Amino acid sequence: MAGPRRITRRAALGEVARAGGAACLAGLSLTALVSMASRADARALRPPGALPEDDFLSACVRCGLCVEACPYDTLSLAEWGDEAAVGTPFFTPRDVPCFMCRDVPCARACPTGALDREIPDIRHADMGVAVLVGHETCLNYKGLNCSICHRVCPIRNEAITLEKGEIDGRAVVLPVVHSDKCTGCGTCEKHCVTGHASIRVLPRDLGLGGEGRNRAGRAT
């Protein structure tokens, strides 16, 4: 029978160093997790009926019931590296847009009020707003006659209309988003035919812009 293992001073110091390193890494991982779990990327789109972002993050318990309730697999729970805070629901329109369910099942499934269970209908969803970001790539701006974003819009002739315009002396027909009607479902972004969608859905405060930094009437 072997006797007890002798531990030298060098070995003991090595064990202490390894234990300290492991604790340090665990602390850093926990700090990173807390940081990731408490913030969202500015581009993250929330399910229909979501509260303002800070209130949403406080109320959402990361249960995933809204994800399970979505019949089209639009929603996902964020993982490391996603655009939303870890564990919270979001969707990426270019992959799968919101299909505008009339009864808004995802919101009805929320147990905490992070999604408004009393939302009247899908037109009150306010997931974001479509913004024409690719003026140099949009086919209409090139004088072609693409109307796909207008044709696929679930609120056709209200959220997106086609308006006559002129560019460099050429008559063109351009898509115009009406932010007061757009729900941010992302159907237009999903079906845009350009490589990188020329029309994108952004959170409403980002898509419409905030107040300017310079006060009106400030002396210059």
Side-chain angles (χ1 to χ4, degrees), residues 98-100 121-127 149-161 176-188 204:
C98 172
F99 283 81
M100 301 275 286
D121 57 65
I122 192 63
R123 287 200 177 203
H124 292 80
D126 197 16
M127 295 167 277
C149 59
H150 170 256
R151 288 189 284 115
V152 301
C153 178
I155 312 178
R156 189 184 299 181
N157 290 325
E158 293 185 50
I160 299 178
T161 59
V176 175
V177 176
H178 302 275
S179 59
D180 59 329
K181 301 292 184 182
C182 177
T183 64
C185 72
T187 306
C188 55
R204 187 165 290 267

Side-chain angles (χ1 to χ4, degrees), residues 71-93:
Y72 297 101
D73 294 327
T74 297
L75 301 175
S76 300
L77 287 181
E79 300 177 351
W80 290 97
D82 284 332
E83 294 179 344
V86 173
T88 61
F90 77 111
F91 72 103
T92 305

Side-chain angles (χ1 to χ4, degrees), residues 107-167:
R108 311 294 185 207
C110 180
T112 66
L115 306 180
D116 182 7
R117 295 169 58 93
E118 305 302 322
I119 184 172
D121 57 65
I122 192 63
R123 287 200 177 203
H124 292 80
D126 197 16
M127 295 167 277
V129 63
V131 178
L132 193 66
V133 296
H135 294 83
E136 295 182 357
T137 58
C138 175
L139 300 183
N140 294 69
Y141 276 79
K142 294 182 177 182
L144 301 177
N145 206 13
C146 178
S147 61
I148 188 67
C149 59
H150 170 256
R151 288 189 284 115
V152 301
C153 178
I155 312 178
R156 189 184 299 181
N157 290 325
E158 293 185 50
I160 299 178
T161 59
L162 296 176
E163 308 289 344
K164 293 180 179 179
E166 184 177 301
I167 297 179

Side-chain angles (χ1 to χ4, degrees), residues 12-46:
L13 290 175
E15 292 292 338
V16 171
R18 279 192 288 272
C24 181
L25 287 174
L28 290 174
S29 297
L30 180 59
T31 300
L33 177 60
V34 170
S35 176
M36 286 289 293
S38 63
R39 65 177 177 82
D41 189 283
R43 297 166 293 173
L45 296 179
R46 298 303 187 186

